[in-house]
Amino acid sequence: FTLRAHILAWTGDLPALSKILYLTGHNSYSGCRFCNLRGTLNEMNRHVYYPLQQNIDPIRLPIRTHDEMLTSINQIEHLKGDRRETYIRNCGIKGKSILFELSSIKFPRSFPVDIMHLFFENIAPHMFRHWIGKFYPKNDERNSNNYTISSKTWIEIGEIMEKNRSNMPSDIGRPPRNIIKHSAGFKAVEWANWIILFSLPLLKGRLPQSYFLGWSNFVEAVQLCIQPRIDFEDLDKIRNLLIQFYNHYARYHLYGII
């Protein structure tokens, strides 16, 4: 954790934060610690997802507040039996974390999403699965799209990455591996390098232009996020770029509008 402006900030992966905050977890109907969107159960894989409806503005979500969290905790402590279990299931909170004894804790802003879990090990591999036609398990029809890049082209991309291993400076961390062969074992630094260094030059001319431009908004946002210093102007630009990327994803990937 880090101490900035007298606000204590904790981060980690979803299971760890769910345990320490007494939340119901990411596979529950109210699993988000930031907003009150209600999940939907996918009957095929028995997993809960949080699809945004097309009429919902992503910058005006029903955000959780610190006072709301404390009110829910107080309710839970006074309820019993089935009423308590129903309330927990609806609000996504199981009880009071010991962290709320600290006056500097403000929910949910004291528990931000770290860049590794948000971008490097989340969005990057998911987009890669879209492009190789494996995002939807056992559904070839949905996996075949305008943005799906052929196996032949991915072999070419992977070979280019492999051939350039010896040309990469050591300060980038791990040298590039063939993404089509080793993506399942990619570490966070490899996904970071894929986003920032390799994806745009290797996808240019191979990914249709509209999809390429949508992805470039995300790449630029990540490049700004990893700067040693982020100014207020940068924050506004990052926000706008991520909204543009979200709108692109919702239009061309989620809803399939061409």
Side-chain angles (χ1 to χ4, degrees):
F1 61 91
T2 58
L3 190 62
R4 298 285 173 85
H6 307 294
I7 296 296
L8 202 59
W10 300 70
T11 190
D13 61 18
L14 289 177
L17 282 171
S18 294
K19 287 182 180 295
I20 202 168
L21 291 175
Y22 277 53
L23 302 178
T24 52
H26 62 282
N27 198 34
S28 62
Y29 289 103
S30 298
C32 180
R33 65 182 183 274
F34 298 105
C35 75
N36 286 307
L37 282 181
R38 183 142 179 96
T40 301
L41 179 68
N42 184 302
E43 295 290 349
M44 290 182 62
N45 58 16
R46 307 301 298 173
H47 195 87
V48 176
Y49 294 92
Y50 302 87
L52 267 182
Q53 302 301 318
Q54 288 179 290
N55 61 343
I56 295 181
D57 188 339
I59 65 173
R60 292 182 176 84
L61 297 176
I63 301 299
R64 290 184 186 266
T65 67
H66 185 76
D67 289 341
E68 173 196 328
M69 178 80 166
L70 294 179
T71 298
S72 294
I73 290 170
N74 184 61
Q75 281 284 93
I76 291 165
E77 290 176 345
H78 289 86
L79 292 174
K80 303 292 182 182
D82 291 343
R83 291 184 63 196
R84 184 175 187 273
E85 293 305 314
T86 300
Y87 190 88
I88 288 173
R89 189 163 54 250
N90 289 333
C91 73
I93 300 163
K94 296 191 292 186
K96 187 175 184 180
S97 167
I98 192 173
L99 293 179
F100 283 86
E101 301 298 328
L102 301 171
S103 60
S104 56
I105 287 291
K106 298 297 178 184
F107 184 91
R109 65 175 176 167
S110 292
F111 307 94
V113 179
D114 64 280
I115 194 170
M116 181 182 77
H117 289 98
L118 179 61
F119 292 158
F120 304 157
E121 293 189 340
N122 183 14
I123 292 178
H126 282 314
M127 293 304 297
F128 174 69
R129 283 192 283 273
H130 271 300
W131 297 328
I132 64 174
K134 294 184 179 179
F135 185 81
Y136 300 100
K138 301 178 181 178
N139 193 327
D140 293 338
E141 184 178 352
R142 291 200 69 185
N143 281 321
S144 180
N145 296 280
N146 288 351
Y147 54 75
T148 307
I149 299 174
S150 69
S151 298
K152 180 181 177 181
T153 302
W154 276 114
I155 291 171
E156 178 186 350
I157 291 172
E159 288 175 349
I160 292 172
M161 294 177 70
E162 199 77 42
K163 289 176 181 177
N164 282 277
R165 286 174 63 88
S166 59
N167 299 328
M168 294 293 113
S170 59
D171 59 358
I172 73 164
R174 288 172 174 258
R177 290 192 288 171
N178 186 322
I179 191 170
I180 202 66
K181 289 183 178 179
H182 303 291
S183 62
F186 265 26
K187 304 299 183 183
V189 66
E190 292 177 284
W191 283 120
N193 287 338
W194 164 253
I195 297 168
I196 299 162
L197 300 176
F198 307 133
S199 66
L200 290 184
L202 290 174
L203 293 175
K204 187 174 179 61
R206 298 180 172 96
L207 188 67
Q209 185 69 1
S210 60
Y211 300 101
F212 181 84
L213 292 175
W215 173 249
S216 69
N217 289 325
F218 176 73
V219 173
E220 186 177 355
V222 175
Q223 289 171 334
L224 290 170
C225 286
I226 64 171
Q227 294 180 117
R229 176 189 174 93
I230 301 177
D231 298 324
F232 284 108
E233 293 81 2
D234 294 328
L235 289 176
D236 289 337
K237 190 171 185 180
I238 290 168
R239 179 184 179 87
N240 290 332
L241 286 166
L242 290 177
I243 290 173
Q244 289 177 54
F245 172 70
Y246 167 80
N247 288 333
H248 162 80
Y249 182 83
R251 181 182 181 190
Y252 290 100
H253 294 77
L254 189 60
Y255 299 120
I257 302 172
I258 306 302

